[in-house]
Amino acid sequence: MQQDFTVVVERDEEGWFVASVPALMGCHTLARSLDELMLRIREAIEVSLDDDAAVAPKLEFVGIQRVTVAA
């Protein structure tokens, strides 16, 4: 059985790519390249799926918004 997951990809201040999977609590990783990041996030998803407690309720991707607040 195959499952699809939304992966959020960002880049930090030092140039590392960071991936997270909102539907799987605690499922995230980082890498120097996008290719390596995709390999690592697949592994992280597989590990998360082994832990039933990590699976959040089914989420539907709606979009991404940027919000600016005074710091």
Side-chain angles (χ1 to χ4, degrees):
M1 177 176 79
Q2 290 185 330
Q3 290 180 277
D4 293 323
F5 292 94
T6 299
V7 176
V8 177
V9 177
E10 301 172 287
R11 187 178 0 220
D12 72 10
E13 295 172 346
E14 297 176 6
W16 286 84
F17 291 101
V18 180
S20 59
V21 182
L24 299 172
M25 298 183 329
C27 184
H28 51 85
T29 191
L30 66 138
R32 279 287 185 197
S33 72
L34 285 173
D35 289 338
E36 182 67 21
L37 186 71
M38 291 300 101
L39 291 173
R40 289 183 179 185
I41 199 61
R42 277 187 174 81
E43 292 173 356
I45 290 169
E46 290 170 354
V47 169
S48 292
L49 290 175
D50 288 341
D51 180 9
D52 291 334
V55 179
K58 192 75 168 165
L59 299 174
E60 176 187 353
F61 180 75
V62 175
I64 297 174
Q65 297 289 321
R66 182 177 300 269
V67 177
T68 303
V69 298

